[in-house]
């Protein structure tokens, strides 16, 4: 990996952050009367997890010039994430979502993001000088799924980062409802994968996108597309890793009880990215990823479980 330690930022992110209103009580969303305000958005979840480990993160986006937008920008700044490329747009809305409370597993979710300020972004919004100041770019399949403009912006950013000598990670993060059809989703996301150095699909995501049944087959598919490394997330079982030099499996980190799975994959990505940027080998980086993913599933909320450096060290010593 090229050493770009003189860069201003460790990781650049672009994407949509939303206000998350999470139910205070279990039951159907229509019956819940009390919600707690939090944050949501895959790319920004990754940013928060990274920032808590001391990684220097910069985020580019648009928010509505409204109370929800002000709340989100304040949260990111409190996490010490650079928001100089976040524009507050007068007259435009900030997206939000509702999430139910469950005893364990996947909660019900409703999105209210159509027509948001971030969804109006295009490739013209990319500041190439800003991006060139980062060592690494992380993208997911959610932001480019919003429309042709956000897809073009994502492609431009990935190409620019590779051209500047940095690295790119890509988490497909499937959201079928955002795409016109399963075929469009597969084609579009696999095109993005060709622009990434590290591809991070979940096992079921990989099956849908590649047609392969096994983690080995999924990894081989993306390695053939040009990825330097493929990390197939296996949930509680850990992850399967294939690089140019090695193939191995890292065990999952033990969890007593799964409370909320949302945010686990984003925490996993943050652990992997931070490890690699700090010079850890793939085995140690994926172990860190598994630890942070395990932290995320044990609490409600997307980012509330992400550890700081001291907590990570404590968990890694077990």
């Amino acid at each position: 990996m090229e050493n770009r330690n003189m860069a201003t930022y460790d990781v650049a992110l672009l994407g949509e952050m939303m206000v998350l209103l999470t139910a205070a009580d279990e039951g159907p969303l229509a019956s819940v009367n009390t919600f707690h305000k939090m944050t949501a958005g895959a790319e920004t979840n990754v940013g928060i997890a990274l920032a808590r480990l001391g990684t220097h993160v910069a985020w580019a986006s648009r928010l509505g010039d409204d109370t929800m937008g002000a709340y989100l920008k304040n949260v990111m700044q409190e996490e010490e994430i650079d928001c100089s490329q976040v524009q507050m747009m007068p007259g435009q809305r900030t997206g939000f979502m509702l999430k139910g409370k469950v005893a364990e597993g996947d909660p019900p979710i409703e999105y209210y993001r159509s027509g948001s300020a971030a969804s109006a972004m295009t490739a013209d919004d990319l500041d190439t000088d800003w991006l060139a100041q980062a060592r690494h770019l992380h993208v997911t399949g959610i932001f480019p799924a919003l429309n042709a403009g956000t897809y073009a912006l994502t492609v431009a950013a990935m190409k620019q980062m590779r051209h500047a000598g940095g690295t790119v990670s890509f988490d497909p993060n499937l959201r079928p409802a955002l795409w016109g059809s399963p075929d469009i989703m597969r084609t579009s996301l696999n095109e993005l994968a060709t622009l990434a150095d590290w591809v991070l699909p979940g096992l079921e995501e990989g099956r849908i996108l590649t047609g392969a049944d096994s983690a080995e087959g999924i990894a081989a598919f993306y390695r053939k597309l040009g990825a330097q490394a493929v990390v197939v997330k296996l949930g509680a079982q850990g992850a399967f890793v294939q690089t140019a030099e090695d193939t191995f499996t890292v065990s999952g980190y033990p969890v007593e009880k799964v409370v909320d799975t949302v945010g686990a994959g984003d925490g996993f990505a943050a652990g992997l990215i931070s490890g690699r940027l700090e010079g850890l080998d793939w085995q140690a980086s994926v172990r860190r990823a598994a630890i942070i993913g395990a932290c995320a599933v044990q609490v409600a909320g997307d980012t509330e479980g992400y550890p700081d450096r001291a907590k990570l060290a404590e968990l890694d010593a077990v």
Side-chain angles (χ1 to χ4, degrees):
M1 182 189 306
E2 182 175 338
N3 189 337
R4 303 181 77 215
N5 289 329
M6 298 303 292
T8 303
Y9 312 112
D10 294 314
V11 179
L13 299 160
L14 49 86
E16 180 172 27
M17 191 180 201
M18 294 176 291
V19 168
L20 167 62
L21 300 175
T22 186
D25 304 303
E26 294 180 22
L29 284 172
S31 302
V32 175
N33 292 319
T34 304
F35 292 82
H36 299 297
K37 185 167 66 172
M38 300 177 179
T39 66
E43 298 85 1
T44 43
N45 288 348
V46 173
I48 290 171
L50 284 166
R52 290 188 187 164
L53 299 177
T55 307
H56 195 177
V57 179
W59 173 47
S61 190
R62 287 181 178 179
L63 295 167
D65 191 10
D66 51 26
T67 55
M68 285 191 176
Y71 164 73
L72 294 177
K73 188 173 182 179
N74 287 340
V75 167
M76 295 296 270
Q77 290 175 328
E78 288 172 359
E79 296 283 355
E80 299 186 355
I81 292 171
D82 185 284
C83 294
S84 60
Q85 292 291 311
V86 176
Q87 300 179 62
M88 309 298 290
M89 308 300 294
Q92 296 188 28
R93 295 187 297 104
T94 301
F96 71 97
M97 58 187 287
L98 303 178
K99 182 166 73 172
K101 182 178 180 180
V102 294
E104 59 181 315
D106 298 327
I109 292 174
E110 291 182 4
Y111 293 95
Y112 297 87
R113 71 194 312 173
S114 179
S116 68
S119 68
M121 296 178 74
T122 71
D124 291 337
D125 292 300
L126 180 65
D127 185 330
T128 55
D129 291 336
W130 167 80
L131 189 60
Q133 297 177 61
R135 297 172 61 196
H136 182 83
L137 171 70
H138 178 69
V139 300
T140 81
I142 300 176
F143 187 58
L146 299 183
N147 54 58
T150 56
Y151 187 88
L153 172 56
T154 304
V155 169
M158 296 174 82
K159 288 182 175 179
Q160 176 62 28
M161 178 54 76
R162 296 281 293 271
H163 177 74
T167 47
V168 178
S169 53
F170 173 57
D171 184 342
N173 226 320
L174 299 193
R175 296 293 187 274
L178 294 176
W179 297 97
S181 72
D183 286 342
I184 291 173
M185 179 178 70
R186 278 190 292 269
T187 300
S188 301
L189 293 178
N190 287 334
E191 285 177 355
L192 293 178
T194 67
L195 303 174
D197 299 287
W198 316 333
V199 181
L200 318 176
L203 180 60
E204 190 54 38
E205 290 178 327
R207 287 170 172 161
I208 293 169
L209 292 173
T210 71
D213 288 330
S214 65
E216 292 84 353
I218 294 164
F221 178 93
Y222 287 115
R223 286 277 295 138
K224 188 175 291 186
L225 288 186
Q228 295 176 8
V230 183
V231 181
V232 183
K233 293 168 286 186
L234 306 175
Q237 283 68 53
F240 175 83
V241 184
Q242 188 174 107
T243 71
E245 297 79 26
D246 204 1
T247 299
F248 57 90
T249 299
V250 172
S251 299
Y253 195 84
V255 172
E256 288 188 12
K257 181 181 179 182
V258 175
V259 175
D260 184 346
T261 58
V262 179
D266 302 326
F268 185 99
L272 179 73
I273 293 165
S274 65
R276 292 299 293 160
L277 293 183
E278 290 170 24
L280 299 184
D281 63 22
W282 281 104
Q283 190 100 22
S285 297
V286 176
R287 173 172 166 78
R288 177 183 288 186
I291 292 171
I292 298 177
C295 289
V297 302
Q298 296 181 70
V299 300
D302 288 15
T303 64
E304 281 64 25
Y306 295 153
D308 59 15
R309 179 69 67 169
K311 182 64 174 179
L312 176 64
E314 176 188 325
L315 295 170
D316 198 19
V318 175

